[in-house]
Amino acid sequence: AIGTRELIRRFQIEGRTPRARLLRADVRAESGGDAGWLLVDYEQEGDGLSLQLFTETPADYALRTSIPFMPDRSIVHGAPAFDGAHAIRFDGEPAGPRVATLFFYDLGGVVAKLGPFSLDVSPGKKTEGAPTTVFQGETPFPEPGLLSVATNGLGGELSWRIVSPGSAPAWSEWSNAQTFPLPRLPRGTYELFVRSRHSDNAAAVRVEEADPLELGLRVDGSGRIEVRR
């Protein structure tokens, strides 16, 4: 799962220990798209958590809570959670009443459970959908390293950071620029993450993509950067 992968990367590859604290979180249904969508609005201090959102019909929820061995037929959404306040959009929910339960967890297990929330997902105006980021290309060495990506939705913005083992710098400021310079890096391997957000939806809510674009960077002794998708 997306959240599980992010936890393994943070604490195994980066060698970091959990240090995040959840401040608030909420789930609500928004109109727009072919079958509506769900918005997870949360705020935390520090990195180190991932989130999973479980949704199911009220009937399935009632059966599962009354019969311990009832098979789970929920839809599961996952995403890494980052420092600060965020609004993550999840598509793929069928129209109608839904019951949602939100979990935040680290490598030690669940650190916060919120819900169940009773939601009513209804179809609405067709929109561009959740924000997504797509790799476009990079300029060849020895020219200054420029990386190009693209995001969907009107008014889309991007933020990025480069991670190395034992280091996780802050994300860059949000910007509508879709080409940015790669810094001079010492020899080694790195991970480049780019995430996007936009407010191109019927509710005019600014939302972020759930799964940031992840690229591998390999730097040789001459400073040449090889981008791996």
Side-chain angles (χ1 to χ4, degrees):
I2 293 171
T4 301
R5 182 193 68 199
E6 177 67 11
L7 283 174
I8 293 173
R9 185 189 66 78
R10 286 174 178 169
F11 304 136
Q12 297 295 331
I13 298 178
E14 294 180 16
R16 298 162 63 201
T17 57
R19 59 183 179 84
R21 182 167 69 96
L22 182 67
L23 301 179
R24 62 175 178 85
D26 191 21
V27 181
R28 68 178 187 265
E30 295 286 357
S31 63
D34 291 329
W37 47 279
L38 301 181
L39 178 68
V40 174
D41 186 2
Y42 75 91
E43 183 177 6
Q44 71 183 47
E45 288 182 348
D47 287 348
L49 299 179
S50 286
L51 65 89
Q52 281 191 340
L53 176 64
F54 292 76
T55 70
E56 54 197 329
T57 66
D60 285 342
Y61 174 78
L63 284 173
R64 188 173 53 79
T65 54
S66 60
I67 304 175
F69 301 105
M70 187 70 185
D72 188 349
R73 298 193 296 179
S74 60
I75 296 175
V76 183
H77 307 276
F82 300 107
D83 179 63
H86 301 272
I88 309 297
R89 172 175 172 164
F90 295 106
D91 286 295
E93 286 296 317
R98 305 288 290 175
V99 177
T101 307
L102 181 62
F103 295 91
F104 286 84
Y105 63 98
D106 59 22
L107 283 184
V110 175
V111 298
K113 174 185 176 183
L114 296 90
F117 302 90
S118 295
L119 307 174
D120 188 8
V121 181
S122 58
K125 178 183 177 182
K126 178 66 177 177
T127 66
E128 292 292 333
T132 58
T133 308
V134 179
F135 175 70
Q136 297 287 85
E138 80 279 3
T139 58
F141 183 86
E143 296 297 325
L146 294 174
L147 189 112
S148 297
V149 296
T151 182
N152 67 331
L154 298 175
E157 296 180 317
L158 295 164
S159 177
W160 62 280
R161 70 176 179 177
I162 296 177
V163 175
S164 61
S167 173
W171 290 85
S172 69
E173 295 293 327
W174 290 102
S175 170
N176 57 13
Q178 299 194 20
T179 299
F180 52 88
L182 293 175
R184 295 291 182 182
L185 297 169
R187 181 176 182 177
T189 58
Y190 304 83
E191 290 177 299
L192 170 64
F193 295 89
V194 187
R195 58 181 177 172
S196 63
R197 68 180 185 181
H198 66 58
S199 57
D200 189 14
N201 54 71
V205 176
R206 184 174 293 281
V207 293
E208 300 174 30
E209 67 179 316
D211 191 17
L213 173 67
E214 179 180 351
L215 300 171
L217 301 180
R218 175 174 290 180
V219 184
D220 64 18
S222 62
R224 183 191 304 272
I225 298 178
E226 178 186 359
V227 180
R228 294 189 169 186
R229 287 177 279 177

PDB file of all heavy atoms in Angstrom, residues 128-157:
ATOM      1  N   GLU A 128     -11.736  17.795 -13.403  1.00  0.00           N
ATOM      2  CA  GLU A 128     -10.491  17.193 -13.866  1.00  0.00           C
ATOM      3  C   GLU A 128     -10.069  16.005 -13.009  1.00  0.00           C
ATOM      4  O   GLU A 128      -9.193  15.246 -13.386  1.00  0.00           O
ATOM      5  CB  GLU A 128      -9.376  18.245 -13.866  1.00  0.00           C
ATOM      6  CG  GLU A 128      -9.546  19.338 -14.894  1.00  0.00           C
ATOM      7  CD  GLU A 128      -9.388  18.826 -16.304  1.00  0.00           C
ATOM      8  OE1 GLU A 128      -8.690  17.836 -16.516  1.00  0.00           O
ATOM      9  OE2 GLU A 128      -9.982  19.431 -17.215  1.00  0.00           O
ATOM     10  N   GLY A 129     -10.656  15.854 -11.847  1.00  0.00           N
ATOM     11  CA  GLY A 129     -10.266  14.759 -10.969  1.00  0.00           C
ATOM     12  C   GLY A 129      -9.163  15.168 -10.014  1.00  0.00           C
ATOM     13  O   GLY A 129      -8.772  16.329  -9.917  1.00  0.00           O
ATOM     14  N   ALA A 130      -8.645  14.189  -9.277  1.00  0.00           N
ATOM     15  CA  ALA A 130      -7.612  14.457  -8.283  1.00  0.00           C
ATOM     16  C   ALA A 130      -6.329  14.943  -8.949  1.00  0.00           C
ATOM     17  O   ALA A 130      -6.034  14.590 -10.087  1.00  0.00           O
ATOM     18  CB  ALA A 130      -7.344  13.195  -7.480  1.00  0.00           C
ATOM     19  N   PRO A 131      -5.540  15.760  -8.245  1.00  0.00           N
ATOM     20  CA  PRO A 131      -4.279  16.220  -8.802  1.00  0.00           C
ATOM     21  C   PRO A 131      -3.338  15.047  -9.082  1.00  0.00           C
ATOM     22  O   PRO A 131      -3.268  14.090  -8.314  1.00  0.00           O
ATOM     23  CB  PRO A 131      -3.713  17.118  -7.700  1.00  0.00           C
ATOM     24  CG  PRO A 131      -4.890  17.511  -6.875  1.00  0.00           C
ATOM     25  CD  PRO A 131      -5.819  16.344  -6.929  1.00  0.00           C
ATOM     26  N   THR A 132      -2.596  15.132 -10.172  1.00  0.00           N
ATOM     27  CA  THR A 132      -1.585  14.142 -10.513  1.00  0.00           C
ATOM     28  C   THR A 132      -0.357  14.848 -11.080  1.00  0.00           C
ATOM     29  O   THR A 132      -0.467  15.928 -11.657  1.00  0.00           O
ATOM     30  CB  THR A 132      -2.086  13.117 -11.554  1.00  0.00           C
ATOM     31  OG1 THR A 132      -2.491  13.820 -12.741  1.00  0.00           O
ATOM     32  CG2 THR A 132      -3.264  12.326 -11.026  1.00  0.00           C
ATOM     33  N   THR A 133       0.807  14.229 -10.915  1.00  0.00           N
ATOM     34  CA  THR A 133       2.061  14.762 -11.435  1.00  0.00           C
ATOM     35  C   THR A 133       2.688  13.746 -12.374  1.00  0.00           C
ATOM     36  O   THR A 133       2.773  12.566 -12.028  1.00  0.00           O
ATOM     37  CB  THR A 133       3.046  15.067 -10.288  1.00  0.00           C
ATOM     38  OG1 THR A 133       2.398  15.888  -9.315  1.00  0.00           O
ATOM     39  CG2 THR A 133       4.271  15.806 -10.815  1.00  0.00           C
ATOM     40  N   VAL A 134       3.145  14.202 -13.542  1.00  0.00           N
ATOM     41  CA  VAL A 134       3.708  13.319 -14.556  1.00  0.00           C
ATOM     42  C   VAL A 134       5.093  13.832 -14.949  1.00  0.00           C
ATOM     43  O   VAL A 134       5.282  15.029 -15.184  1.00  0.00           O
ATOM     44  CB  VAL A 134       2.807  13.240 -15.803  1.00  0.00           C
ATOM     45  CG1 VAL A 134       3.425  12.328 -16.855  1.00  0.00           C
ATOM     46  CG2 VAL A 134       1.416  12.758 -15.433  1.00  0.00           C
ATOM     47  N   PHE A 135       6.072  12.926 -15.014  1.00  0.00           N
ATOM     48  CA  PHE A 135       7.426  13.275 -15.432  1.00  0.00           C
ATOM     49  C   PHE A 135       7.464  13.567 -16.931  1.00  0.00           C
ATOM     50  O   PHE A 135       6.911  12.814 -17.731  1.00  0.00           O
ATOM     51  CB  PHE A 135       8.373  12.119 -15.089  1.00  0.00           C
ATOM     52  CG  PHE A 135       9.776  12.311 -15.590  1.00  0.00           C
ATOM     53  CD1 PHE A 135      10.603  13.267 -15.032  1.00  0.00           C
ATOM     54  CD2 PHE A 135      10.273  11.523 -16.612  1.00  0.00           C
ATOM     55  CE1 PHE A 135      11.907  13.442 -15.495  1.00  0.00           C
ATOM     56  CE2 PHE A 135      11.571  11.681 -17.076  1.00  0.00           C
ATOM     57  CZ  PHE A 135      12.386  12.651 -16.513  1.00  0.00           C
ATOM     58  N   GLN A 136       8.121  14.655 -17.331  1.00  0.00           N
ATOM     59  CA  GLN A 136       8.230  15.045 -18.733  1.00  0.00           C
ATOM     60  C   GLN A 136       9.628  14.785 -19.299  1.00  0.00           C
ATOM     61  O   GLN A 136       9.782  14.322 -20.418  1.00  0.00           O
ATOM     62  CB  GLN A 136       7.886  16.526 -18.896  1.00  0.00           C
ATOM     63  CG  GLN A 136       6.448  16.891 -18.517  1.00  0.00           C
ATOM     64  CD  GLN A 136       5.433  16.419 -19.534  1.00  0.00           C
ATOM     65  OE1 GLN A 136       4.989  15.280 -19.495  1.00  0.00           O
ATOM     66  NE2 GLN A 136       5.060  17.288 -20.440  1.00  0.00           N
ATOM     67  N   GLY A 137      10.686  15.130 -18.553  1.00  0.00           N
ATOM     68  CA  GLY A 137      12.042  14.919 -19.034  1.00  0.00           C
ATOM     69  C   GLY A 137      13.019  15.834 -18.318  1.00  0.00           C
ATOM     70  O   GLY A 137      12.648  16.635 -17.459  1.00  0.00           O
ATOM     71  N   GLU A 138      14.317  15.701 -18.675  1.00  0.00           N
ATOM     72  CA  GLU A 138      15.352  16.540 -18.080  1.00  0.00           C
ATOM     73  C   GLU A 138      16.366  16.909 -19.145  1.00  0.00           C
ATOM     74  O   GLU A 138      16.507  16.215 -20.151  1.00  0.00           O
ATOM     75  CB  GLU A 138      16.042  15.832 -16.902  1.00  0.00           C
ATOM     76  CG  GLU A 138      17.104  14.818 -17.271  1.00  0.00           C
ATOM     77  CD  GLU A 138      16.514  13.477 -17.648  1.00  0.00           C
ATOM     78  OE1 GLU A 138      15.271  13.343 -17.687  1.00  0.00           O
ATOM     79  OE2 GLU A 138      17.292  12.560 -17.942  1.00  0.00           O
ATOM     80  N   THR A 139      17.081  18.020 -18.941  1.00  0.00           N
ATOM     81  CA  THR A 139      18.108  18.444 -19.884  1.00  0.00           C
ATOM     82  C   THR A 139      19.343  17.565 -19.700  1.00  0.00           C
ATOM     83  O   THR A 139      19.640  17.134 -18.588  1.00  0.00           O
ATOM     84  CB  THR A 139      18.485  19.915 -19.665  1.00  0.00           C
ATOM     85  OG1 THR A 139      18.940  20.078 -18.315  1.00  0.00           O
ATOM     86  CG2 THR A 139      17.300  20.820 -19.903  1.00  0.00           C
ATOM     87  N   PRO A 140      20.093  17.309 -20.783  1.00  0.00           N
ATOM     88  CA  PRO A 140      21.252  16.427 -20.674  1.00  0.00           C
ATOM     89  C   PRO A 140      22.442  17.113 -20.009  1.00  0.00           C
ATOM     90  O   PRO A 140      22.591  18.326 -20.075  1.00  0.00           O
ATOM     91  CB  PRO A 140      21.561  16.081 -22.129  1.00  0.00           C
ATOM     92  CG  PRO A 140      21.061  17.261 -22.901  1.00  0.00           C
ATOM     93  CD  PRO A 140      19.832  17.737 -22.161  1.00  0.00           C
ATOM     94  N   PHE A 141      23.280  16.345 -19.354  1.00  0.00           N
ATOM     95  CA  PHE A 141      24.548  16.810 -18.809  1.00  0.00           C
ATOM     96  C   PHE A 141      25.466  17.166 -19.990  1.00  0.00           C
ATOM     97  O   PHE A 141      25.407  16.502 -21.034  1.00  0.00           O
ATOM     98  CB  PHE A 141      25.155  15.663 -17.989  1.00  0.00           C
ATOM     99  CG  PHE A 141      26.445  15.997 -17.295  1.00  0.00           C
ATOM    100  CD1 PHE A 141      26.442  16.579 -16.052  1.00  0.00           C
ATOM    101  CD2 PHE A 141      27.662  15.701 -17.897  1.00  0.00           C
ATOM    102  CE1 PHE A 141      27.626  16.870 -15.403  1.00  0.00           C
ATOM    103  CE2 PHE A 141      28.855  15.998 -17.262  1.00  0.00           C
ATOM    104  CZ  PHE A 141      28.840  16.582 -16.011  1.00  0.00           C
ATOM    105  N   PRO A 142      26.329  18.218 -19.934  1.00  0.00           N
ATOM    106  CA  PRO A 142      26.672  19.013 -18.760  1.00  0.00           C
ATOM    107  C   PRO A 142      25.884  20.313 -18.628  1.00  0.00           C
ATOM    108  O   PRO A 142      26.279  21.204 -17.894  1.00  0.00           O
ATOM    109  CB  PRO A 142      28.148  19.304 -18.987  1.00  0.00           C
ATOM    110  CG  PRO A 142      28.229  19.480 -20.480  1.00  0.00           C
ATOM    111  CD  PRO A 142      27.243  18.500 -21.070  1.00  0.00           C
ATOM    112  N   GLU A 143      24.799  20.470 -19.381  1.00  0.00           N
ATOM    113  CA  GLU A 143      23.972  21.665 -19.212  1.00  0.00           C
ATOM    114  C   GLU A 143      23.406  21.690 -17.788  1.00  0.00           C
ATOM    115  O   GLU A 143      23.318  20.650 -17.134  1.00  0.00           O
ATOM    116  CB  GLU A 143      22.827  21.653 -20.217  1.00  0.00           C
ATOM    117  CG  GLU A 143      23.264  21.725 -21.664  1.00  0.00           C
ATOM    118  CD  GLU A 143      23.970  23.021 -21.971  1.00  0.00           C
ATOM    119  OE1 GLU A 143      23.593  24.055 -21.404  1.00  0.00           O
ATOM    120  OE2 GLU A 143      24.923  22.996 -22.778  1.00  0.00           O
ATOM    121  N   PRO A 144      23.021  22.879 -17.300  1.00  0.00           N
ATOM    122  CA  PRO A 144      22.408  22.930 -15.968  1.00  0.00           C
ATOM    123  C   PRO A 144      21.212  21.988 -15.901  1.00  0.00           C
ATOM    124  O   PRO A 144      20.370  21.972 -16.794  1.00  0.00           O
ATOM    125  CB  PRO A 144      21.981  24.399 -15.840  1.00  0.00           C
ATOM    126  CG  PRO A 144      22.896  25.140 -16.759  1.00  0.00           C
ATOM    127  CD  PRO A 144      23.158  24.208 -17.905  1.00  0.00           C
ATOM    128  N   GLY A 145      21.170  21.170 -14.864  1.00  0.00           N
ATOM    129  CA  GLY A 145      20.115  20.166 -14.760  1.00  0.00           C
ATOM    130  C   GLY A 145      18.752  20.790 -14.547  1.00  0.00           C
ATOM    131  O   GLY A 145      18.505  21.450 -13.536  1.00  0.00           O
ATOM    132  N   LEU A 146      17.856  20.613 -15.496  1.00  0.00           N
ATOM    133  CA  LEU A 146      16.490  21.098 -15.383  1.00  0.00           C
ATOM    134  C   LEU A 146      15.549  19.916 -15.529  1.00  0.00           C
ATOM    135  O   LEU A 146      15.670  19.136 -16.475  1.00  0.00           O
ATOM    136  CB  LEU A 146      16.182  22.147 -16.457  1.00  0.00           C
ATOM    137  CG  LEU A 146      16.934  23.473 -16.366  1.00  0.00           C
ATOM    138  CD1 LEU A 146      16.613  24.336 -17.580  1.00  0.00           C
ATOM    139  CD2 LEU A 146      16.565  24.204 -15.083  1.00  0.00           C
ATOM    140  N   LEU A 147      14.632  19.794 -14.618  1.00  0.00           N
ATOM    141  CA  LEU A 147      13.677  18.704 -14.653  1.00  0.00           C
ATOM    142  C   LEU A 147      12.289  19.266 -14.945  1.00  0.00           C
ATOM    143  O   LEU A 147      11.890  20.264 -14.350  1.00  0.00           O
ATOM    144  CB  LEU A 147      13.658  17.954 -13.327  1.00  0.00           C
ATOM    145  CG  LEU A 147      12.846  16.666 -13.365  1.00  0.00           C
ATOM    146  CD1 LEU A 147      13.771  15.463 -13.225  1.00  0.00           C
ATOM    147  CD2 LEU A 147      11.808  16.637 -12.270  1.00  0.00           C
ATOM    148  N   SER A 148      11.565  18.638 -15.876  1.00  0.00           N
ATOM    149  CA  SER A 148      10.234  19.105 -16.261  1.00  0.00           C
ATOM    150  C   SER A 148       9.194  18.068 -15.876  1.00  0.00           C
ATOM    151  O   SER A 148       9.368  16.875 -16.123  1.00  0.00           O
ATOM    152  CB  SER A 148      10.169  19.356 -17.772  1.00  0.00           C
ATOM    153  OG  SER A 148      11.060  20.383 -18.151  1.00  0.00           O
ATOM    154  N   VAL A 149       8.126  18.542 -15.270  1.00  0.00           N
ATOM    155  CA  VAL A 149       6.993  17.692 -14.930  1.00  0.00           C
ATOM    156  C   VAL A 149       5.726  18.424 -15.363  1.00  0.00           C
ATOM    157  O   VAL A 149       5.754  19.599 -15.731  1.00  0.00           O
ATOM    158  CB  VAL A 149       6.946  17.381 -13.416  1.00  0.00           C
ATOM    159  CG1 VAL A 149       8.153  16.571 -12.984  1.00  0.00           C
ATOM    160  CG2 VAL A 149       6.847  18.667 -12.605  1.00  0.00           C
ATOM    161  N   ALA A 150       4.607  17.734 -15.320  1.00  0.00           N
ATOM    162  CA  ALA A 150       3.327  18.339 -15.672  1.00  0.00           C
ATOM    163  C   ALA A 150       2.289  17.925 -14.646  1.00  0.00           C
ATOM    164  O   ALA A 150       2.341  16.816 -14.105  1.00  0.00           O
ATOM    165  CB  ALA A 150       2.894  17.912 -17.073  1.00  0.00           C
ATOM    166  N   THR A 151       1.347  18.814 -14.390  1.00  0.00           N
ATOM    167  CA  THR A 151       0.252  18.502 -13.478  1.00  0.00           C
ATOM    168  C   THR A 151      -1.062  18.866 -14.139  1.00  0.00           C
ATOM    169  O   THR A 151      -1.130  19.757 -14.980  1.00  0.00           O
ATOM    170  CB  THR A 151       0.410  19.254 -12.144  1.00  0.00           C
ATOM    171  OG1 THR A 151      -0.659  18.894 -11.258  1.00  0.00           O
ATOM    172  CG2 THR A 151       0.384  20.755 -12.349  1.00  0.00           C
ATOM    173  N   ASN A 152      -2.110  18.161 -13.783  1.00  0.00           N
ATOM    174  CA  ASN A 152      -3.422  18.427 -14.365  1.00  0.00           C
ATOM    175  C   ASN A 152      -4.167  19.475 -13.546  1.00  0.00           C
ATOM    176  O   ASN A 152      -3.741  19.864 -12.462  1.00  0.00           O
ATOM    177  CB  ASN A 152      -4.248  17.134 -14.429  1.00  0.00           C
ATOM    178  CG  ASN A 152      -4.598  16.626 -13.040  1.00  0.00           C
ATOM    179  OD1 ASN A 152      -3.880  16.846 -12.069  1.00  0.00           O
ATOM    180  ND2 ASN A 152      -5.703  15.921 -12.926  1.00  0.00           N
ATOM    181  N   GLY A 153      -5.297  19.914 -14.057  1.00  0.00           N
ATOM    182  CA  GLY A 153      -6.144  20.838 -13.314  1.00  0.00           C
ATOM    183  C   GLY A 153      -5.746  22.285 -13.505  1.00  0.00           C
ATOM    184  O   GLY A 153      -4.565  22.621 -13.608  1.00  0.00           O
ATOM    185  N   LEU A 154      -6.745  23.157 -13.540  1.00  0.00           N
ATOM    186  CA  LEU A 154      -6.493  24.587 -13.675  1.00  0.00           C
ATOM    187  C   LEU A 154      -5.860  25.117 -12.397  1.00  0.00           C
ATOM    188  O   LEU A 154      -6.273  24.776 -11.297  1.00  0.00           O
ATOM    189  CB  LEU A 154      -7.802  25.324 -13.964  1.00  0.00           C
ATOM    190  CG  LEU A 154      -8.520  24.953 -15.271  1.00  0.00           C
ATOM    191  CD1 LEU A 154      -9.854  25.676 -15.362  1.00  0.00           C
ATOM    192  CD2 LEU A 154      -7.647  25.263 -16.477  1.00  0.00           C
ATOM    193  N   GLY A 155      -4.844  25.971 -12.562  1.00  0.00           N
ATOM    194  CA  GLY A 155      -4.191  26.565 -11.403  1.00  0.00           C
ATOM    195  C   GLY A 155      -3.346  25.586 -10.616  1.00  0.00           C
ATOM    196  O   GLY A 155      -3.124  25.778  -9.422  1.00  0.00           O
ATOM    197  N   GLY A 156      -2.853  24.523 -11.275  1.00  0.00           N
ATOM    198  CA  GLY A 156      -2.055  23.528 -10.578  1.00  0.00           C
ATOM    199  C   GLY A 156      -0.744  24.098 -10.065  1.00  0.00           C
ATOM    200  O   GLY A 156      -0.104  24.927 -10.714  1.00  0.00           O
ATOM    201  N   GLU A 157      -0.328  23.644  -8.876  1.00  0.00           N
ATOM    202  CA  GLU A 157       0.934  24.055  -8.270  1.00  0.00           C
ATOM    203  C   GLU A 157       1.738  22.817  -7.892  1.00  0.00           C
ATOM    204  O   GLU A 157       1.174  21.757  -7.653  1.00  0.00           O
ATOM    205  CB  GLU A 157       0.692  24.909  -7.027  1.00  0.00           C
ATOM    206  CG  GLU A 157       0.007  26.235  -7.308  1.00  0.00           C
ATOM    207  CD  GLU A 157      -0.212  27.033  -6.039  1.00  0.00           C
ATOM    208  OE1 GLU A 157      -0.625  26.432  -5.024  1.00  0.00           O
ATOM    209  OE2 GLU A 157       0.029  28.246  -6.050  1.00  0.00           O
TER     210      GLU A 157
END
